[in-house]
Amino acid sequence: VGTRVIMLENSISAGNLGFLRNLTACVFFMILLVVKNYGLPPLRDWPVFIVSGGIGFGYYLILFNKGMETLTGATSCIVLATAPLLTALLASLAFREKLTALAWAAMLMAFAGTAILALWEGTFNVEAGVFWTLGAALFISCYNIIQRRMSRSYSSMQITAYSFITAVPLTIFLAPGAMGQFAAAPALHQGIAVFMGVFPSAVAYLYWAKALSVAANT
């Protein structure tokens, strides 16, 4: 919803908003790492975190925001609901997992439920944004697979923190425009951008990482 508010008035562009969210989340996690007295991962693991940060946050948010330029909130919600299905398919390839018929039925019911709720008072529109959002769903699904592999060696907080930290330099080329648009944006939009960096980004993905870790070990 916050993304849609900013996109409607075009005060901050899609790519720049993604960078601002990553930057805010990065600062949040750097403070948390200091408080928790966590060090940096060994050099050999940085390539994985670079890929994780790029597809899971840096470029995922750019694709998602590009999709929101033309899609309604309802349509975007439905397209992103394909992410669990894509994750399951990728997991079956990466980990040789075999999903039961009940598991597939549960995921399809979840997707159907999302579609019904999203369309309750909305409409589904097919625009170019659908393809951007499908790309975002694929990226976050790949991130889920990488995150599961890293959960054997790192905590949920570390995985999310290091991924966000690497996402910023990967999108640093957006920094000049992002800072300029943020400074010129209305105060409400500035607040929304910071809020989305802390809560729908940092805090939400921290809980998401914890959920995946628990699910992988049960």
Side-chain angles (χ1 to χ4, degrees):
V1 174
T3 302
R4 187 63 178 160
V5 169
I6 292 176
M7 292 293 100
L8 283 174
E9 297 191 24
N10 199 31
S11 61
I12 304 174
S13 68
N16 291 343
L17 180 59
F19 174 80
L20 290 169
R21 285 183 63 174
N22 282 318
L23 180 62
T24 305
C26 176
V27 172
F28 174 89
F29 277 115
M30 289 179 72
I31 295 171
L32 196 58
L33 286 172
V34 172
V35 171
K36 292 287 188 178
N37 198 28
Y38 280 117
L40 295 177
L43 191 61
R44 67 176 182 274
D45 289 338
W46 276 109
V48 179
F49 284 118
I50 289 172
V51 174
S52 175
I55 66 172
F57 302 128
Y59 299 112
Y60 160 76
L61 284 174
I62 294 175
L63 292 177
F64 172 77
N65 292 340
K66 285 290 293 182
M68 288 298 292
E69 287 180 339
T70 58
L71 296 183
T72 64
T75 302
S76 178
C77 184
I78 293 171
V79 176
L80 278 179
T82 61
L85 299 174
L86 292 172
T87 300
L89 289 173
L90 291 173
S92 67
L93 296 174
F95 303 112
R96 298 291 188 268
E97 293 180 348
K98 291 185 178 180
L99 293 174
T100 64
L102 182 60
W104 281 110
M107 283 192 291
L108 290 173
M109 286 179 64
F111 178 80
T114 302
I116 291 170
L117 290 173
L119 293 174
W120 195 266
E121 293 182 354
T123 57
F124 185 90
N125 61 317
V126 179
E127 303 281 355
V130 168
F131 301 101
W132 289 107
T133 310
L134 276 174
L138 178 60
F139 271 28
I140 201 65
S141 299
C142 292
Y143 167 77
N144 292 339
I145 300 302
I146 296 173
Q147 188 183 69
R148 176 170 171 182
R149 286 189 180 277
M150 297 306 291
S151 66
R152 299 166 184 170
S153 306
Y154 293 92
S155 69
S156 304
M157 197 276 280
Q158 288 175 300
I159 295 171
T160 312
Y162 299 145
S163 296
F164 266 115
I165 289 172
T166 59
V168 173
L170 289 173
T171 54
I172 197 67
F173 61 92
L174 295 168
M179 293 305 180
Q181 287 190 334
F182 180 81
L188 174 62
H189 291 191
Q190 291 176 338
I192 290 174
V194 172
F195 173 85
M196 289 195 297
V198 175
F199 294 99
S201 294
V203 176
Y205 280 106
L206 180 58
Y207 279 115
W208 179 249
K210 182 63 176 178
L212 286 179
S213 177
V214 171
N217 294 305
T218 56

